[in-house]
Amino acid sequence: MAPKNRIIIDTDPGVDDVLAMLLAFAAKAEDLEVLLVSLTFGNVDVRNCLRNVVAIFHILEKELKWREKNGNPVGFEGITKFKPIVAIGAEEPLQDRIESADYFHGVDGLAGTHTTHPHFSPEESWKRLFEEPPPDSFLTETAKEEVDLEEPAKTFIPSLIPAHKEILRLLRENEPDTITLISIGPLTNFALAATEDPETFLRCKEVVTMGGTVDGIGNVTPVAEFNVYADPYAAATVYALTSPIPSSTMPVPTEGERSFHLPPYPPRLSKQLKLTLMSLDITEFHILSRGAFSAYASELAKQGSPLAQWATAFMDPMFDKMERLHIGHEGEGAALALHDPLCVWYVLTRDDQRWKPSARSPEDIRVETAGQWTRGMTVGDKRPRKRRNSDGEVPHDRGNWLGNRSGNRIYRMLESPGRDAAAPYLLDAIFRND
């Protein structure tokens, strides 16, 4: 029997990205299969992102052995019953300068864990899994033996194909509307896939993306959230596929040293993209506190759980940072918002009627790509006016925001099964050990 959900996770790990992937891998096999983890720049550079993903598999392999040795339920059917592909994607945004969040997540994306706790990092030989082997004619006998003896990855499949092409391949080789695309980083890989082959991209069931803010404030500027800010051109390009006329909201290419002009979408497409947006408007209110995390992880770490020890190694510094940065984040109350895990939680529980989008959904939400102070702003139309066709009047709706055939159609989620339910759901799934 096929899993209820089959997903591709596009990510730039990042602490909360790691939590989101752990939640996905911890899901029951009948509920979820992760087909591909595609990597993009974002929180840190793409090579550090790759090391962090490999570290997840490295730690989980140790955790599975520890659980089996101690007679505990193994869990993590996402890697014991499936073997996800890992592919490297975009190294920089489509337009403008590279922005990172290493000031928050640490230079390695995991609060410096690879330096402070090197025993949790995989051996450097993993890098060879993502490199083309040299032609036989250039190999010495010793080198040939080393290549032949290279131990294959046990719990994932390394890909030498660019991530956006792997995304298209999987969508092409599977039935339409069976694969959900989850983006928890900049949307660069999705934009590359969508513009290279829009009809294949539209074979996805849904795009669920963490990004933006419409009613609230930004986390990198007063108006912009990081994932959108990191590559607003890519976000605008993907959002445009939700429009009956994608050209009506496509970003205007800029000229300059950092500009990559994507091919335009065809004037007619077979369908519109369904896009569910997990913006800061909802994610900021679902938090994981130091106290809640410790209640699950501390005793397991003392017992020797590699996963609990590793997670504690990067979560403790993050809680400390939140305590330094924010008023009201003292002691056990220091907390991180569960931005990225919310996307996986939604896919696992989207039949729950308590998930509700904004009353205006589907909303016309667009991305500012060229503003001096508003780069990456997700602009929603809050005017209490109806969509209408032109009746010959001089249009006062600049930009065709209210036209029936123009504008984006995005479902911005605002309510979940419970703000206090997210952290226990996540922790129980990851640390389930009885």
Side-chain angles (χ1 to χ4, degrees):
M1 181 178 175
K4 184 178 179 181
N5 298 286
R6 307 175 79 215
I7 66 172
I8 290 171
I9 300 178
D10 194 70
T11 178
D12 60 335
V15 171
D16 57 329
D17 302 71
V18 169
L19 295 177
M21 283 185 279
L22 289 173
L23 176 58
F25 294 144
K28 296 289 187 183
E30 63 263 28
D31 293 330
L32 188 73
E33 177 185 5
V34 181
L35 297 169
L36 167 68
V37 176
S38 62
L39 297 170
T40 177
F41 76 98
N43 288 320
V44 289
D45 66 273
V46 75
R47 288 291 162 174
N48 269 310
C49 290
L50 176 59
R51 179 168 63 167
N52 292 343
V53 167
V54 174
I56 294 174
F57 291 101
H58 174 69
I59 292 297
L60 288 182
E61 288 171 13
K62 292 179 177 295
E63 177 73 7
L64 297 180
K65 290 179 181 177
W66 178 81
R67 291 187 180 187
E68 189 173 7
K69 179 181 177 181
N70 286 274
N72 298 322
V74 173
F76 285 99
E77 294 184 355
I79 63 169
T80 59
K81 296 193 175 180
F82 304 111
K83 201 170 182 179
I85 301 167
V86 175
I88 304 169
E91 297 184 6
E92 55 190 358
L94 300 174
Q95 303 279 338
D96 211 347
R97 63 193 180 275
I98 298 176
E99 300 284 349
S100 72
D102 56 6
Y103 59 88
F104 183 74
H105 291 271
V107 293
D108 64 357
L110 288 179
T113 305
H114 293 290
T115 300
T116 60
H117 298 73
H119 57 290
F120 289 139
S121 298
E123 295 292 335
E124 290 296 297
S125 59
W126 64 265
K127 294 179 180 178
R128 298 178 61 177
L129 299 172
F130 295 90
E131 297 172 355
E132 289 278 6
D136 283 349
S137 58
F138 295 104
L139 284 176
T140 65
E141 288 304 314
T142 302
K144 283 183 180 180
E145 289 179 11
E146 288 178 354
V147 171
D148 291 340
L149 294 174
E150 184 71 39
E151 185 178 1
K154 297 176 182 177
T155 49
F156 68 93
I157 302 170
S159 173
L160 301 179
I161 301 173
H164 76 279
K165 292 186 180 293
E166 280 284 18
I167 292 168
L168 290 173
R169 181 185 68 80
L170 288 168
L171 290 172
R172 197 176 290 122
E173 293 177 0
N174 287 274
E175 291 297 314
D177 302 317
T178 59
I179 297 176
T180 297
L181 304 180
I182 298 178
S183 170
I184 51 179
L187 279 159
T188 315
N189 287 331
F190 284 7
L192 289 169
T195 53
E196 180 171 313
D197 190 344
E199 287 295 351
T200 295
F201 191 79
L202 289 171
R203 289 169 65 92
C204 74
K205 180 177 182 179
E206 180 181 6
V207 167
V208 180
T209 177
M210 191 279 130
T213 179
V214 175
D215 296 329
I217 58 175
N219 59 7
V220 289
T221 75
V223 295
E225 176 276 332
F226 175 77
N227 286 343
V228 178
Y229 182 83
D231 195 346
Y233 189 86
T237 298
V238 175
Y239 286 18
L241 273 183
T242 68
S243 171
I245 307 175
S247 61
S248 69
T249 62
M250 276 291 285
V252 177
T254 60
E255 300 297 333
E257 189 175 325
R258 275 292 310 122
S259 61
F260 179 79
H261 293 177
L262 295 172
Y265 291 129
R268 293 180 181 273
L269 291 168
S270 61
K271 60 184 285 192
Q272 293 165 232
L273 177 69
K274 182 181 180 184
L275 190 148
T276 297
L277 183 64
M278 293 291 177
S279 65
L280 296 180
D281 303 313
I282 184 172
T283 63
E284 284 280 9
F285 301 103
H286 295 74
I287 64 171
L288 171 59
S289 70
R290 188 199 301 267
F293 175 80
S294 297
Y296 274 82
S298 292
E299 185 57 35
L300 286 172
K302 291 177 184 177
Q303 293 173 16
S305 162
L307 176 59
Q309 292 174 349
W310 179 61
T312 300
F314 61 77
M315 290 298 290
D316 276 353
M318 297 307 294
F319 289 130
D320 291 342
K321 182 169 289 187
M322 296 304 292
E323 194 167 4
R324 291 194 303 270
L325 292 177
H326 298 282
I327 297 171
H329 280 252
E330 287 79 30
E332 297 293 278
L336 293 171
L338 295 173
H339 302 298
D340 296 335
L342 230 63
C343 293
V344 177
W345 187 33
Y346 165 74
V347 170
L348 284 166
T349 62
R350 60 181 148 197
D351 292 339
D352 192 316
Q353 296 301 308
R354 290 173 292 179
W355 286 108
K356 293 180 182 178
S358 73
R360 299 192 296 272
S361 290
E363 296 177 77
D364 188 354
I365 298 173
R366 309 184 192 184
V367 180
E368 177 57 67
T369 59
Q372 181 180 2
W373 307 116
T374 55
R375 164 183 165 149
M377 181 179 184
T378 39
V379 183
D381 190 352
K382 303 175 186 177
R383 296 172 295 178
R385 297 171 62 186
K386 296 179 179 179
R387 292 185 181 276
R388 59 196 287 266
N389 291 319
S390 172
D391 54 10
E393 297 176 351
V394 176
H396 294 286
D397 176 41
R398 305 302 180 191
N400 294 318
W401 288 80
L402 297 171
N404 279 327
R405 298 197 65 244
S406 61
N408 295 331
R409 307 286 192 273
I410 290 173
Y411 292 86
R412 180 169 59 105
M413 206 58 60
L414 283 187
E415 295 183 33
S416 75
R419 294 182 180 183
D420 296 332
Y425 186 97
L426 171 77
L427 294 168
D428 186 60
I430 294 175
F431 296 116
R432 187 186 302 118
N433 201 23
D434 50 27

